[in-house]
Amino acid sequence: MEFSTGFGWTRLPVLTAAFIFGSVLTASAQIIPPAADEEVEAADTPDVNDPDVLKGIDVDKLDWGQLAIDAGALNDIITAKKRAQAAAKEALNWSSNPNANGSSAVTVKQSVSSFWDTRIGADMTVAKEPTTMSELLAQKAANGGSLPQSSGNAWAAATAPGAGPVWDKTAVEARVDPGAEQSKLGASLTKSVPLSNDTSLTLQNGYSVNQQGTTALPGIAGRTTRNYETDQSARVEITDTGTSITAGQTLSTTDDKWLRKFGAEQKLFDNVTVSGSVGETSQGAINKSLTAGFKKSW
C-alpha cells in the first residue's frame, strides 16, 4: 500500500493531473529537442468519441480524504517497519542439519548488540531416541555398535575494529563444552593491504588458550591442563582469477615447534571451489588434503 499527502480538496486531483501533465511536456521539450532533419509527430489530442473513463462514477461521492495522511502517521509507519526489521535480526536464529549416524547438528545463535557485532550461540548434536527395534539396530550399526550421544557447546563472539594502521579488525571468541570439560578463549588480529587493483594481501595473527579438565574419581583428584597456541598466516587473493594462496605456521606448548602449512584455493565457477593444502604434523609426517566445495545461499 502506498501513501501520498494531500489536502482533501475536491478539485485537487484534476489540478494535480494538469500540473504534472504540463510539467512532463515542458521537461520533454527541454531535455529531448527534436532533430532538424527528423519529422516531429504531433501529440495525440483528446477526441469526443473516446470512451469516458469516469462513466458510471459519481465524483461527488468519492472519498478524497483517503489521499490525505498526516506526516507524523507516516513517520510512525516507517519507524514501526524499522523496529520490526531490527527485532527479526536480533531474534534467535535456528538451523538444523541431519548427520549420517541419525543425529542432527543443531545451531542456535542470537545477536546481542550491534556494538562490536556481539553474538552468542550454541552448537549441539542432538541424538534421536529410537522408537522401534529396527531404528535401534540401524543406529547401532551406523555408530560401531553404540548409540549416538547428545552433546553441545556454548560460545560467544565479538568483532571489533583494529588499532589504526597496525591492524584492521579484532575478533574474540570464547567456547565452552561442559560435557567434555573443555574450554577455549581465542583472539585474532587481521590486517589487509591492497597490492594492486585486483590483488590484496591479508595478514593474521591468532592467539588462543585451550583448557582441558578431568573428572575427579574416588581417591584421585581432578586436574586441569592448559595449552597455549599461536598461529600466523598470510593470504594473497587475486580477484580476476578467483585464486587465493595461503602460507602459515602454528606453534603450541604441546608441540614446542613451528608447524608450517601451505594451501591454495581456486574458484572454478559460481559457488564451486577447489582447495588443497600441505602441512607438517607434530609426528614429522606430511599431511596433504584436496577438497572441493559448493556453497549456495537463498
Side-chain angles (χ1 to χ4, degrees):
M1 178 180 294
E2 298 181 355
F3 298 91
S4 60
T5 58
F7 299 94
W9 297 345
T10 305
R11 299 182 181 273
L12 178 60
V14 178
L15 295 176
T16 304
F19 175 76
I20 295 175
F21 184 70
S23 301
V24 170
L25 291 180
T26 303
S28 300
Q30 294 177 353
I31 297 174
I32 310 176
D37 56 349
E38 293 180 357
E39 183 179 356
V40 180
E41 296 181 358
D44 294 337
T45 57
D47 192 350
V48 294
N49 296 324
D50 291 342
D52 187 6
V53 295
L54 296 178
K55 184 178 181 180
I57 299 177
D58 190 352
V59 180
D60 296 334
K61 294 183 178 180
L62 293 177
D63 185 10
W64 299 106
Q66 296 294 330
L67 299 177
I69 182 172
D70 183 41
L74 182 59
N75 292 332
D76 293 341
I77 295 174
I78 297 176
T79 303
K81 184 177 180 181
K82 291 182 178 180
R83 189 182 298 112
Q85 292 175 350
K89 183 178 179 181
E90 296 177 358
L92 285 174
N93 185 4
W94 292 83
S95 64
S96 177
N97 295 310
N99 295 325
N101 61 358
S103 63
S104 298
V106 180
T107 300
V108 56
K109 60 182 179 179
Q110 182 178 17
S111 175
V112 178
S113 173
S114 58
F115 180 72
W116 281 13
D117 190 17
T118 308
R119 309 169 304 279
I120 60 173
D123 299 329
M124 299 168 284
T125 300
V126 181
K128 180 182 177 182
E129 293 292 336
T131 57
T132 62
M133 183 58 66
S134 60
E135 289 184 359
L136 176 63
L137 296 177
Q139 290 189 13
K140 285 188 175 182
N143 293 273
S146 61
L147 290 175
Q149 301 296 321
S150 299
S151 61
N153 56 79
W155 55 266
T159 303
V166 182
W167 69 86
D168 300 329
K169 184 178 67 175
T170 305
V172 180
E173 180 178 2
R175 187 174 293 269
V176 178
D177 187 348
E181 297 188 18
Q182 294 179 347
S183 62
K184 179 179 180 179
L185 175 63
S188 63
L189 310 177
T190 305
K191 175 67 175 179
S192 297
V193 180
L195 301 179
S196 63
N197 293 334
D198 59 348
T199 306
S200 63
L201 171 65
T202 301
L203 304 176
Q204 179 172 307
N205 288 340
Y207 310 90
S208 63
V209 180
N210 299 278
Q211 181 172 293
Q212 176 68 61
T214 57
T215 305
L217 299 175
I220 303 176
R223 63 188 185 92
T224 301
T225 59
R226 292 184 179 89
N227 177 33
Y228 300 89
E229 293 184 0
T230 179
D231 63 88
Q232 304 170 352
S233 66
R235 181 184 180 94
V236 177
E237 297 183 7
I238 305 175
T239 307
D240 289 349
T241 60
T243 306
S244 61
I245 302 173
T246 305
Q249 57 183 1
T250 303
L251 175 66
S252 66
T253 53
T254 56
D255 298 330
D256 198 22
K257 66 176 182 178
W258 288 100
L259 302 177
R260 296 170 177 83
K261 185 177 180 180
F262 177 82
E265 183 178 278
Q266 177 64 52
K267 183 177 180 180
L268 299 181
F269 43 88
D270 291 342
N271 306 318
V272 177
T273 58
V274 176
S275 60
S277 64
V278 178
E280 299 176 335
T281 62
S282 57
Q283 293 79 17
I286 301 298
N287 183 20
K288 303 177 182 179
S289 66
L290 179 64
T291 59
F294 173 79
K295 184 178 182 181
K296 180 67 174 179
S297 300
W298 61 86

